[in-house]
Structures are given as structure tokens and as C-alpha cells.
């Protein structure tokens, strides 16, 4: 959410408590606030603000600091005694570090200076809106959770096993489809229902995901019942972990797709035996949300009725005599278009799409508004084309796509990725993953005081590639961890080649990987004498699963004398809590702020705020993207300690 109209559309329904004692400031600020909020309650001091807070519910509180009777920070403190959830913004004319830090400790969402800077206000308000939306979703999810559990146990096939694979729980649906009793299943190995025709590699891949990577596994499994009859299930299996990350059990949820598998086979046979096949692959939009509200039997019934609705929505009833019901809310029209007008078929599919998306249908007295998207292809590779076409539609804004040739394009991209992975593999094998080092200079002396370690790849033709050309693809394969290890080895080896400090980029998500963390501390122990010259540049990441793991890593690393920097700081500068979590020694101001600092007053204001805060906490500041002398001189004047950029040096071998 970033457009002004979108922000106003949502903020207008929020209840705002505005606390300000100055009449002139209050009146001028209200002119702005009325553009964003419909419901505004005004208080003229902290005591009155607290009383209004106790009388009604507010989504957001905006308050001044210095006020009679009860100051803004004191009011916030009293509110926090009973409510840690309400969102609070501080709006003050004071840019004092002590107010800034006290606001952080009280858990405010942002600190705005008077008079309101509209760009800064929109950024902070956008973050507030996102948090309100998350809280609303959380309440909804908690309300539905109990219902989901009931629906799951009554509609899906459920089992649990211990870490050795012994069955510890099955529900009635499991017994029904497998034909085994609970007494026969409990204590037995899951092999009791395994179909022997499944390849060994299938299970090796499954267990590598579950046990090795501790990831959720999803897929289709063919099993055998007690009587020897094969049946198909769509399964989702997850390893349940304790607080230390150890597997305590596995839980599996399955839905019976035996009948669906038969329809899939029928569709594939029609395509294989057609002279000129044409396929329209249809998918229900937000099918996953629909399936959460209804059990397996209800969904099956809905899909049966909806399949008939699809068939009836085609204007020319003679074109298709059946609709194929596939898995996960997918359906298909298919036929041999030999000697038929392709354009007429496409036109009828488009009209069917319009008919469905512009109307509702009823099942057992319940009205459903279901939207669909359609990917169509004719000629060769039509099933693959349509599958890729649906993926392309999801990324765009259309609901119809002709996907001819798309599979070939995707295969070329896949081949390109394979070539990149092969290039990475060759580079690792031939020791062609290297490190370049970019100097960081002291702004007072212009002397190099440290280097940032940056990964590079040397191709067989001796071309030097930056991470842009290979790192994202490497993350999809098994080489990323090897690259990380090489970069760290190169960086620590550099300690013996210079007396300067070495900065190394490190993702908070990498820290959560046990093998990466262990490797880093092995290197710190090996280079203990020079470890104090190491700086870890941490990227701020909202997707950290366990902040305690990161905080423990930082605490342990600092015992070796390692210093911690927050890289790209300024983009999420209002995320005050992360500063308290990381306790950084250094802030590296984001390049997007530095490159515009000469022409953008908003960037300059943010940089000044960061510097003021950093100085008050004895945190060093580095400016990135210093491309010319003008930027350097301004940063020096503002009090930035160090500069990094092409004005002082490009990344090179040390």
C-alpha cells in the first residue's frame, strides 16, 4: 500500500485520538488529519487524553510530548500499563535524543517532528495501516482456528507419527480409506499403507525435506489399502519441532483424490490421441481460502455443482460435452479441434469466463460468488503451456491468457538457470569464487580504515561477475551454502593481508541456519587474535523466524570483539525495536538516501535524524554510495564518520 488514495481509503475508517495542548498547532494539524481520518477525538492535555482512552476504543493515538497536567510520554506509559497493542505516534517539536529513546522504549510506531512533513507522515501512516490490517487478520484467524480444527478432523485424512515413523494417531477418515482399524495402525510403521510400486527416490526426497531440511512437504502419494486397492491422496506433511528445533513428531493431512486422478488420466488420454488438441485450463481464484471454510466432502460437492455450472456457461452447448474436474480447484475444457474454428472455441471460452465471473450460483441454499481464471493453449505441449499460463496470470492482472509456446520459454529459462548453476558449480570446483574488497575511509583523514568483502565469480572466459548474475539462482540450488563458506574463508584470510578491519555481509536468515552459524564461530575461534577486526553487516529482515537466535548470535560474536553493523539502514528506520534487538556498533545509511541527499530534502532530513540518534548512542555512521566530492563534503559536515563509494574506490582484489 503506497498510493495516497489507498492510504486515505483505509485510514478514513480508523478511530484516532489526537492529544495536543497548543491551540494554534492543534487547529493547523487538524486540517491535515481531517483529510485522512473521519473519526477524530481531540484532547487538550495528557490527562484528558488518558481519560478519553479509557472511555472508548481507538485504533491510533497521536500525541504531543510537553503538555500540562500529564505529559505525552507519561500518558503513553499509563496507557501501556493496560494496553500494549494500541498504535501510538509521537508528534513533537523536539528532536532530542532522550525523547527519541524514551519513545522507543514505550513501543511507539513512529516519531514525527512538527510541523508535519507530508512525505514522512505518509510513510509512517502506511506502516501503521499495515499493522492494523495484520492485527485484524490475526483476530480473524484465531476465531477461525477452532472451526478449522473441527473441519479438518472431520473432513481430511489425518495421522501423526513419532520421529521413527511409528503411527501414534489416526482419525476415522484414515481408517475408512485404508481399511485398517485403529488397533492395527497405532504402533505400526507407515509402510503398512505404502504402495510398493512407488520409486525409492520419491520417499528419499520426501524425507530429505521433512527430516533434513525440516520443511513442509506437499505432494501426491499413491497408497494401498488393506485389500490391496490403490488410492491417491494429496498430502501435506510437517515435522513438529520443540523449542530447540528437534523433531518430536510428524503430522500429515491428506485429501482423497482418487477420482480426480482418474479424470486427469482421461484428460491426458484425450490430448494424446487428438490430432489438433485445444485445452482451456480453469482455476478458481482464492481456492485455498474456499477450501479452508469447507470440509473435503463439502468441497467435493461444490466442485461437482460448479463443474456443471461451467459447462452450462458455454454459449455453444455443442462445443464441449464434458468438463474435467482436476485437483485444487482446477477444471478443464478439452477437445480435438481438427476441422473446427479455433477462434470460435476461444470466443466461447471467453464468454463462459465472463458469464461465471459476473454472476453467482447457489448450492443447498448458499450463494457463492466464485471467480475463475483461464489459460488456453492449442497445438503442442498444451498441458504444460496452460499450467505455466495460470502462473503467469497470477502475477498479472488479467483473468485470461493464451499460453501457446509458454512451456518452451519456461524450459529455456529453466535451462538458463541450470547453466548458471553449472557455472557456479564449476567456479566452486575451480576456486573461482573470489572476494573483492571496497575501501571505507575515515571522513576526517580520508584514510582507509576498513574494507567491505564482496563476492565475485570468475567465468571460464575470465569475466568477473557480480552477485546480480548468479546469487539468486544459486540460492535455489545447493551451492549457496558453499558460496557463503567461501566468502567467509576469504574474508577471514584477508585479516593476514591487511591491518584494516574487514566487513562481511550477513543475513539474519542465514544466522538461523545452524551450519552457517557453526562455521562462523569456528572461523572466529581459529582467528581469535584478529577477530576484533571483523564487522558483521546485518541486513534488516522482517521475516526472521526467531529473533532470540539472532540476538544470541550477536551476543556470542561480540565476546570475540566482533562489531555489529546494520546495513542499508534508513529504509525501515521507524522500526525502533530492531535497533534494541541488534544493539549495533555501526549504522550504514542506505544508498537510496545518500545518492539523493543533495537534491532531496526528505532524504537529508532522514539522514540528519539517523546521525543525531547514532551520536547520542555512540554509534558510528557510514555513508554508502558516495559517488562524488559534493556528497562526501556534505556527509563530513553532517558528522558522518565514514564514507564508502566509487569516489574513494571500487571493489577490487585486496
Amino acid at each position: 500500500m503506497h498510493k495516497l488514495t489507498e492510504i486515505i481509503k483505509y485510514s478514513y475508517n480508523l478511530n484516532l485520538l489526537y492529544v495536543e495542548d497548543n491551540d494554534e498547532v492543534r487547529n493547523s494539524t487538524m486540517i491535515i488529519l481531517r483529510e485522512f481520518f473521519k473519526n477524530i477525538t481531540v484532547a487538550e492535555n495528557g490527562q484528558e487524553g488518558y481519560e478519553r482512552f479509557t472511555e472508548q476504543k481507538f485504533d491510533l493515538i497521536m500525541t504531543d510530548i510537553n503538555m500540562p497536567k500529564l505529559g505525552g510520554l507519561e500518558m503513553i506509559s499509563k496507557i501501556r500499563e493496560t494496553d500494549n497493542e494500541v498504535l501510538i505516534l509521537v508528534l513533537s517539536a523536539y528532536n532530542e535524543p532522550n525523547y527519541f529513546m524514551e519513545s522507543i522504549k514505550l513501543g511507539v510506531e513512529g516519531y514525527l517532528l512538527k510541523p508535519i512533513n507530508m512525505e514522512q507522515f505518509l510513510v509512517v501512516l502506511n506502516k501503521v495501516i499495515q499493522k492494523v490490517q495484520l492485527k485484524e487478520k490475526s483476530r480473524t484467524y484465531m476465531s477461525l482456528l477452532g472451526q478449522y480444527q473441527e473441519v479438518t478432523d472431520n473432513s481430511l485424512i489425518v495421522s501423526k507419527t513419532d520421529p521413527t515413523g511409528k503411527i501414534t494417531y489416526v482419525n476415522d477418515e484414515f481408517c475408512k480409506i485404508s481399511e485398517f482399524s485403529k488397533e492395527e495402525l497405532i504402533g505400526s510403521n507407515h509402510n503398512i499403507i505404502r504402495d510398493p510400486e512407488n520409486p525409492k527416490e520419491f520417499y528419499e526426497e520426501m524425507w530429505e525435506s521433512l527430516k533434513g531440511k525440516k520443511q513442509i512437504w506437499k505432494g501426491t502419494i499413491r497408497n494401498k489399502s488393506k485389500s490391496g486397492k490403490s488410492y491417491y491422496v494429496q498430502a501435506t506433511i510437517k515435522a513438529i519441532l520443540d523449542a530447540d528445533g528437534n523433531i518430536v513428531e510428524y503430522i500429515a493431512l491428506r485429501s482423497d483424490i482418487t477420482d480426480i486422478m482418474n479424470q486427469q488420466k482421461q484428460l491426458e488420454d484425450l490430448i494424446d490421441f487428438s490430432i489438433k488438441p485445444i485445452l482451456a485450463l480453469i482455476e478458481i481464484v482464492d481456492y485455498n481460502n474456499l477450501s479452508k471454510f469447507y470440509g473435503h466432502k463439502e468441497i467435493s460437492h461444490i466442485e461437482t455443482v460448479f463443474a456443471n455450472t461451467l459447462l452450462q456457461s458455454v454459449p455453444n452447448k455443442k462445443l464441449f460435452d464434458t468438463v474435467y474436474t482436476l485437483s485444487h480447484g482446477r477444471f478443464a475444457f478439452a477437445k480435438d479441434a481438427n476441422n473446427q474454428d479455433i477462434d470460435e472455441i476461444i470466443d466461447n471460452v471467453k464468454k463462459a469466463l465472463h458469464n461465471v465471473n459476473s454472476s453467482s450460483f447457489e448450492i443447498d441454499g448458499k450463494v457463492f460468488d466464485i471467480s475463475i481464471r483461464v489459460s488456453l493453449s492449442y497445438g503442442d505441449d498444451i498441458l504444460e503451456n496452460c499450467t505455466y499460463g495460470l502462473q503467469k496470470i497470477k502475477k498479472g492482472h488479467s483473468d485470461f491468457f493464451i499460453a501457446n509456446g509458454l512451456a518452451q520459454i519456461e524450459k529455456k529459462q529453466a535451462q538458463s538457470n541450470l547453466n548458471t548453476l553449472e557455472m557456479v558449480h564449476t567456479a566452486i570446483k575451480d576456486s573461482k569464487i573470489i572476494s573483492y574488497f571496497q575501501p571505507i575511509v575515515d571522513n576526517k583523514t580520508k584514510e582507509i580504515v576498513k574494507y567491505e568483502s564482496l563476492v565475485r565469480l570468475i567465468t571460464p572466459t575470465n569475466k568477473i561477475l557480480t552477485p546480480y548474475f548468479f546469487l539468486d539462482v544459486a540460492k535455489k540450488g545447493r551451492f549457496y551454502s558453499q558460496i557463503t563458506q567461501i566468502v567467509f574463508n576469504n574474508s577471514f584470510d584477508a585479516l593476514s593481508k591487511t591491518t584494516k578491519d574487514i566487513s562481511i555481509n550477513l543475513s539474519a536468515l542465514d544466522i538461523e541456519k545452524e551450519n552457517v552459524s557453526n562455521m562462523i564461530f569456528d572461523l572466529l575461534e581459529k582467528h581469535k587474535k584478529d577477530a576484533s577486526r571483523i564487522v558483521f553487516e546485518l541486513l534488516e529482515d522482517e521475516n526472521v523466524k526467531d529473533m532470540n537466535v539472532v540476538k544470541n548470535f550477536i551476543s556470542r560474536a561480540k565476546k570475540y570483539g566482533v562489531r555489529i553493523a546494520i546495513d542499508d539502514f534508513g529504509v525501515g528506520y521507524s522500526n525502533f525495536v530492531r535497533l534494541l534487538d541488534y544493539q549495533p556498533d555501526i549504522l550504514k545509511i542506505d544508498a537510496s538516501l545518500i545518492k539523493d541527499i543533495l537534491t532531496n530534502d526528505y532524504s537529508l532530513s532522514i539522514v540528519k535524524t539517523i546521525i543525531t540518534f547514532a551520536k547520542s548512542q555512540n554509534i558510528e555512521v557510514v555513508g554508502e554510495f558516495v559517488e562524488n566530492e559534493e556528497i562526501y563534503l556534505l556527509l563530513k559536515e553532517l558528522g558522518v564518520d565514514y564514507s564508502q563509494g566509487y569516489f574513494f574506490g571500487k571493489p577490487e582484489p585486496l
Side-chain angles (χ1 to χ4, degrees):
M1 182 183 298
H2 59 280
K3 294 182 179 179
L4 179 61
T5 54
E6 293 175 343
I7 292 176
I8 294 176
K9 181 180 177 181
Y10 196 92
S11 67
Y12 207 62
N13 295 315
L14 299 180
N15 289 328
L16 171 67
L17 172 60
Y18 175 42
V19 187
E20 170 63 62
D21 67 306
N22 186 297
D23 293 341
E24 182 179 348
V25 172
R26 186 171 61 250
N27 292 333
S28 62
T29 303
M30 283 292 292
I31 295 173
I32 298 174
L33 296 180
R34 287 195 184 98
E35 295 295 323
F36 291 88
F37 300 92
K38 177 182 178 182
N39 303 313
I40 304 175
T41 299
V42 177
E44 297 183 2
N45 56 67
Q47 182 60 39
E48 183 183 349
Y50 180 72
E51 291 172 358
R52 298 291 84 79
F53 167 77
T54 61
E55 293 168 355
Q56 65 183 100
K57 180 177 176 59
F58 294 98
D59 300 300
L60 175 63
I61 298 172
M62 184 179 295
T63 180
D64 188 16
I65 291 181
N66 287 330
M67 294 182 292
K69 296 187 179 180
L70 190 68
L73 296 180
E74 290 81 6
M75 181 193 73
I76 295 172
S77 181
K78 288 191 67 174
I79 289 173
R80 286 295 184 230
E81 291 176 4
T82 58
D83 191 337
N84 285 319
E85 297 295 325
V86 66
L87 305 177
I88 302 174
L89 295 177
V90 171
L91 179 60
S92 175
Y94 298 90
N95 194 17
E96 296 294 331
N98 58 324
Y99 289 143
F100 191 64
M101 288 304 300
E102 185 63 22
S103 299
I104 294 175
K105 293 176 182 178
L106 291 171
V108 303
E109 301 307 313
Y111 191 104
L112 301 171
L113 294 178
K114 300 177 187 177
I116 289 179
N117 177 294
M118 187 55 69
E119 288 187 76
Q120 186 186 22
F121 177 67
L122 289 175
V123 170
V124 175
L125 182 57
N126 186 37
K127 289 182 176 293
V128 167
I129 289 172
Q130 290 175 350
K131 287 202 172 185
V132 171
Q133 290 175 321
L134 286 173
K135 288 167 66 177
E136 290 176 350
K137 288 180 181 179
S138 177
R139 284 194 294 267
T140 301
Y141 291 157
M142 291 303 295
S143 173
L144 294 175
L145 183 59
Q147 301 174 60
Y148 290 166
Q149 290 175 330
E150 181 181 359
V151 171
T152 298
D153 210 33
N154 284 280
S155 304
L156 297 178
I157 303 161
V158 184
S159 71
K160 294 198 292 185
T161 64
D162 65 20
T164 66
K166 291 287 194 309
I167 298 173
T168 59
Y169 170 82
V170 293
N171 68 348
D172 292 338
E173 292 295 320
F174 190 105
C175 296
K176 182 178 178 181
I177 195 170
S178 70
E179 302 176 352
F180 287 97
S181 68
K182 289 186 178 181
E183 290 75 15
E184 293 173 309
L185 292 167
I186 302 298
S188 299
N189 194 285
H190 242 290
N191 293 343
I192 192 172
I193 57 168
R194 178 180 292 184
D195 190 320
E197 293 183 16
N198 290 334
K200 178 182 177 183
E201 293 76 16
F202 173 86
Y203 294 104
E204 289 176 347
E205 178 189 353
M206 177 196 295
W207 284 110
E208 172 59 21
S209 294
L210 288 169
K211 193 173 182 179
K213 300 178 181 177
K214 298 179 182 178
Q215 297 175 343
I216 292 177
W217 184 90
K218 293 183 178 181
T220 301
I221 305 176
R222 180 174 60 194
N223 290 326
K224 271 209 182 306
S225 68
K226 186 176 181 179
S227 64
K229 181 172 60 179
S230 291
Y231 63 94
Y232 293 86
V233 292
Q234 187 68 31
T236 300
I237 309 174
K238 184 180 186 334
I240 306 301
L241 312 178
D242 62 18
D244 296 322
N246 301 312
I247 297 173
V248 294
E249 65 178 356
Y250 300 93
I251 185 167
L253 304 179
R254 309 169 186 81
S255 56
D256 182 8
I257 59 170
T258 305
D259 292 337
I260 293 175
M261 292 297 293
N262 291 339
Q263 293 233 343
Q264 177 84 22
K265 185 66 168 60
Q266 293 172 31
L267 176 63
E268 291 172 356
D269 288 344
L270 183 146
I271 293 171
D272 289 341
F273 290 103
S274 294
I275 297 172
K276 191 177 180 181
I278 183 169
L279 170 68
L281 191 58
I282 303 159
E283 183 176 65
I284 294 177
V285 178
D286 293 330
Y287 173 79
N288 287 338
N289 290 334
L290 182 69
S291 64
K292 288 178 181 178
F293 283 93
Y294 298 96
H296 175 66
K297 293 180 181 179
E298 289 87 349
I299 284 292
S300 179
H301 180 51
I302 291 171
E303 288 181 332
T304 300
V305 176
F306 187 67
N308 185 61
T309 301
L310 282 173
L311 200 57
Q312 295 303 315
S313 66
V314 180
N316 185 347
K317 308 301 181 188
K318 296 181 180 180
L319 278 180
F320 303 107
D321 55 13
T322 187
V323 58
Y324 297 90
T325 302
L326 309 176
S327 60
H328 294 298
R330 287 189 176 182
F331 307 83
F333 291 136
K335 69 182 289 113
D336 188 346
N338 191 35
N339 300 323
Q340 281 197 262
D341 187 349
I342 291 290
D343 290 337
E344 180 191 2
I345 296 174
I346 293 174
D347 182 61
N348 270 263
V349 171
K350 285 184 175 180
K351 288 178 178 177
L353 170 67
H354 173 76
N355 291 339
V356 171
N357 287 351
S358 60
S359 60
S360 304
F361 72 100
E362 186 175 314
I363 300 178
D364 300 333
K366 298 177 182 177
V367 178
F368 291 83
D369 288 311
I370 293 180
S371 297
I372 58 173
R373 44 188 167 231
V374 180
S375 175
L376 184 143
S377 180
Y378 50 90
D380 298 325
D381 302 321
I382 60 175
L383 190 54
E384 288 181 273
N385 285 339
C386 285
T387 301
Y388 285 122
L390 286 178
Q391 295 175 10
K392 195 173 185 69
I393 290 174
K394 289 178 184 178
K395 297 176 182 178
H397 301 286
S398 176
D399 54 13
F400 181 83
F401 185 75
I402 296 179
N404 291 336
L406 194 57
Q408 193 62 33
I409 295 173
E410 294 294 335
K411 287 176 182 177
K412 287 182 179 179
Q413 182 59 54
Q415 186 59 52
S416 174
N417 290 343
L418 287 174
N419 293 340
T420 300
L421 288 174
E422 181 59 32
M423 177 182 70
V424 171
H425 178 238
T426 301
I428 292 173
K429 183 181 63 176
D430 296 341
S431 301
K432 298 295 185 179
I433 300 293
I434 63 171
S435 292
Y436 271 24
F437 296 86
Q438 186 172 28
I440 301 173
V441 303
D442 186 315
N443 280 344
K444 293 180 180 178
T445 64
K446 283 192 176 182
E447 292 183 359
I448 296 172
V449 293
K450 63 185 81 173
Y451 292 95
E452 180 178 358
S453 176
L454 301 165
V455 66
R456 296 291 186 266
L457 183 149
I458 305 176
T459 69
T461 58
N462 290 323
K463 185 177 180 180
I464 307 297
L465 299 183
T466 66
Y468 172 82
F469 294 98
F470 64 89
L471 201 57
D472 283 344
V473 175
K475 289 178 180 179
K476 300 174 183 177
R478 56 187 176 88
F479 301 121
Y480 179 67
S481 294
Q482 296 179 53
I483 292 174
T484 301
Q485 185 168 354
I486 292 170
V487 168
F488 269 84
N489 281 324
N490 290 345
S491 302
F492 275 83
D493 287 344
L495 291 170
S496 64
K497 301 174 183 177
T498 178
T499 59
K500 313 300 183 185
D501 293 353
I502 301 293
S503 282
I504 312 170
N505 290 301
L506 182 60
S507 165
L509 295 178
D510 279 335
I511 291 173
E512 292 183 318
K513 298 176 183 177
E514 186 177 357
N515 63 322
V516 174
S517 180
N518 290 339
M519 177 267 294
I520 291 172
F521 284 110
D522 286 344
L523 286 169
L524 286 172
E525 190 65 31
K526 179 181 177 182
H527 298 268
K528 185 183 294 187
K529 185 177 68 172
D530 295 310
S532 60
R533 290 196 284 124
I534 290 291
V535 178
F536 289 149
E537 296 189 11
L538 300 184
L539 293 169
E540 289 191 282
D541 199 315
E542 297 295 333
N543 298 317
V544 177
K545 296 176 183 176
D546 189 347
M547 182 53 65
N548 286 328
V549 173
V550 178
K551 291 164 73 173
N552 290 337
F553 175 91
I554 292 172
S555 176
R556 188 178 170 191
K558 283 191 172 185
K559 291 178 181 178
Y560 286 89
V562 171
R563 286 184 293 164
I564 301 298
I566 295 183
D567 200 8
D568 299 333
F569 189 76
V571 176
Y573 79 101
S574 60
N575 190 355
F576 303 141
V577 176
R578 191 55 52 88
L579 293 174
L580 299 176
D581 287 334
Y582 285 179
Q583 293 290 307
D585 305 291
I586 303 166
L587 295 181
K588 297 192 74 174
I589 302 177
D590 185 68
S592 65
L593 298 174
I594 299 298
K595 69 179 181 181
D596 295 333
I597 196 170
L598 295 173
T599 57
N600 189 316
D601 290 339
Y602 183 56
S603 294
L604 178 60
S605 177
I606 294 176
V607 171
K608 286 180 177 179
T609 302
I610 293 171
I611 295 169
T612 299
F613 164 72
K615 295 301 181 184
S616 70
Q617 300 300 309
N618 294 319
I619 298 175
E620 296 178 342
V621 180
V622 179
E624 300 181 288
F625 208 83
V626 180
E627 301 296 285
N628 55 58
E629 188 173 18
E630 285 182 282
I631 294 177
Y632 157 68
L633 291 174
L634 177 56
L635 293 181
K636 180 181 178 182
E637 179 185 341
L638 291 174
V640 174
D641 301 292
Y642 306 102
S643 289
Q644 178 180 354
Y646 279 19
F647 179 63
F648 291 105
K650 297 180 179 181
E652 295 178 327
L654 191 62

